[in-house]
Amino acid sequence: MADRTSQQPGDPASVIAQQYNIELAMCDILERIADSLPDDVHPPLAAAAARSITIELTVHQRDQEEVLFPLLLARCSSEDRAADLIDLLTSEHATDAGFAAEVIEALQLLGTGRHIDNANMLGYMLRGFFQCYRRHLNWEQAVLLPLARQRLSSDDMAMVAQQIGKQRRQLQLMHSLGVG
């Protein structure tokens, strides 16, 4: 996978940037699936994509809403308009989660090897999801990460990176055990 962000060695923000790389790669897989409809879908890839969305979207939203956003609100001044940014991103998270549920259901069906009755509709739905999600991720990289790097101390960023890693490991373990 090509590196999609500039990362500095030892920079805790690179942990966040790495998560973006994973999620953008997930969007690439969704695009491959959409391109392979209706007859060339690889069921294990569809099943893996459904699991990936379940984990990545949940982790992404928890990382930001429980760790990064509260810290940014505490460190930013009113001129940064962080509250407006965070309100917008939180709203997009809710929209993404609702849309993802439908995408996951369809991918799980494809993952069983069953045929989809309306492949054009599914392709349209997949494209709508990954295009919006890519835009969301790219916008966060262009606006949210620079604000975090500007306003958070190195200790803050290290704590964010540590919490993100911890939450990711917990959610992946829960998902592998069939919990949550």
Side-chain angles (χ1 to χ4, degrees):
M1 172 175 62
D3 184 23
R4 297 172 187 257
T5 61
S6 61
Q7 298 178 14
Q8 300 170 354
D11 176 13
S14 67
V15 171
I16 298 168
Q18 180 59 28
Q19 299 314 312
Y20 285 120
N21 288 340
I22 291 167
E23 292 173 82
L24 288 167
M26 178 186 71
C27 290
D28 293 345
I29 291 169
L30 294 175
E31 185 170 15
R32 276 185 36 206
I33 292 169
D35 289 346
S36 69
L37 289 168
D39 298 320
D40 294 326
V41 174
H42 185 60
L45 183 62
R51 286 188 304 275
S52 180
I53 294 170
T54 301
I55 292 171
E56 297 305 327
L57 190 72
T58 303
V59 170
H60 172 90
Q61 292 178 354
R62 282 187 189 172
D63 288 346
Q64 290 186 351
E65 293 174 11
E66 295 176 8
V67 179
L68 184 59
F69 291 172
L71 192 56
L72 268 176
L73 286 173
R75 301 290 191 265
C76 288
S77 67
S78 60
E79 293 85 39
D80 292 321
R81 299 193 54 151
D84 293 339
L85 169 64
I86 289 168
D87 286 346
L88 175 64
L89 294 174
T90 301
S91 174
E92 286 186 4
H93 287 172
T95 301
D96 290 342
F99 199 2
E102 294 178 39
V103 169
I104 291 166
E105 184 179 325
L107 289 169
Q108 288 171 334
L109 182 65
L110 284 175
T112 65
R114 294 195 304 213
H115 181 72
I116 295 291
D117 291 332
N118 192 340
N120 287 333
M121 182 185 74
L122 177 56
Y124 183 79
M125 184 170 67
L126 287 171
R127 289 181 196 291
F129 178 77
F130 70 71
Q131 288 171 349
C132 287
Y133 200 63
R134 276 181 183 150
R135 182 205 50 77
H136 174 88
L137 294 170
N138 288 330
W139 196 73
E140 285 183 358
Q141 287 179 317
V143 178
L144 184 67
L145 277 183
L147 180 62
R149 285 186 171 120
Q150 181 182 23
R151 294 295 185 228
L152 301 181
S153 70
S154 58
D155 288 344
D156 289 338
M157 289 302 291
M159 187 275 299
V160 167
Q162 180 183 26
Q163 288 297 318
I164 285 173
K166 180 181 174 184
Q167 288 194 147
R168 176 166 289 277
R169 287 186 302 275
Q170 288 173 342
L171 188 63
Q172 287 174 333
L173 176 62
M174 288 173 54
H175 191 272
S176 70
L177 297 173
V179 179

